[in-house]
Structure formats: structure tokens, C-alpha cells
Amino acid sequence: KTGRKPGLMLKKPDGEIGLTQWGIDLLDRISPYADILDTAYASHDHSDSVKAQRIKIQDSKQTPSARLLQQLREQRLNFHDYSLKQSQQHRDHLLATPLSAARQNALEDIVAQSFTEQTRLEQSDTEDFSAYVARYEAALAPF
């Protein structure tokens, strides 16, 4: 709720710390692991990701929330209308890029397997719904 508040202080078990400083501290601790992963995968992806997050910590205007707020202001949209517009753009993109036949077939196979497994589970069920609800409620009773 107040993550964008300048000078925000957060509580830690050993006292308070500024949001920016805590973020820097965390990234300093994460960075060696990113380097290890980069070495293991012969890439710079992990350390680049840590660097990208460091930029956001040092300049809050680079955060996703700040960029979203800027777009809302520029487009003069409320969040509802912005979300609807984004959904329509995603829909249009997905409709414009149909699945390949191989991907379509793979997904249809997954659906068929899912229905087969559902049928198997339903047929192996020996408990009627009322008994299930009673058992479920009894399990919640101590809480």
C-alpha cells in the first residue's frame, strides 16, 4: 500500500531499515548465486536480472507499478478500462497467431489424458457427496 512512499522504513527482527537499503542488501546477497548460475549455464541472464532489479530499487520510476501509473496518466484511463484494453489486445494477439498443428495436437492429447484420468478418479470414488462433506466438516471442527 505504501511501497512507493519516499523514505519508507520496514521492520526487521533487528530493527528498521529503509526499503531501498533492504533491497540493495538483498540483491548484494543474491548476486553471488546469480554469478554461479551464469557460470553453470554459460550465460549472463541471472546476473543481468539482478542488475535490472537494482536499477528499479535505485530509481522507483523504473518499477512496473510506476510504469503502469504513467501509462494510466498518459492514456487518461482508470485501472478498469486499462485492464479491459490490455485484455482485448492480448485476445487480438492470440487470435492473430494460431497454434501450429503439432501444438494443437499435443494440447488435444493432454485434454484427452485429463478426461481419462478424471473418469478413472470418479469411477474409483466410493464415497457419496454427503459423506464427503460430513468428513470434511469433521476435519475442520478442531479449528
Side-chain angles (χ1 to χ4, degrees), residues 102-117:
R103 183 69 177 145
Q104 181 71 32
N105 290 337
L107 291 172
E108 287 173 2
D109 288 346
I110 291 169
V111 168
Q113 291 170 10
S114 178
F115 281 133
T116 300
E117 178 64 9

Side-chain angles (χ1 to χ4, degrees), residues 127-142:
E127 183 176 37
D128 66 44
F129 186 70
S130 295
Y132 167 78
V133 170
R135 184 173 52 80
Y136 177 80
E137 289 175 347
L140 294 177

Side-chain angles (χ1 to χ4, degrees), residues 7-8 10 17-26 57-59:
L8 178 66
L10 301 172
I17 187 169
L19 172 65
T20 300
Q21 186 58 52
W22 199 357
I24 290 168
D25 291 351
L26 288 170
I57 288 172
Q58 293 167 342
D59 180 6

Side-chain angles (χ1 to χ4, degrees), residues 73-88:
R73 281 188 216 103
E74 288 172 359
Q75 296 176 25
R76 299 188 116 138
L77 294 172
N78 61 40
F79 185 71
H80 174 269
D81 292 338
Y82 175 84
S83 298
L84 181 59
K85 182 179 174 183
Q86 288 294 107
S87 296
Q88 290 167 339

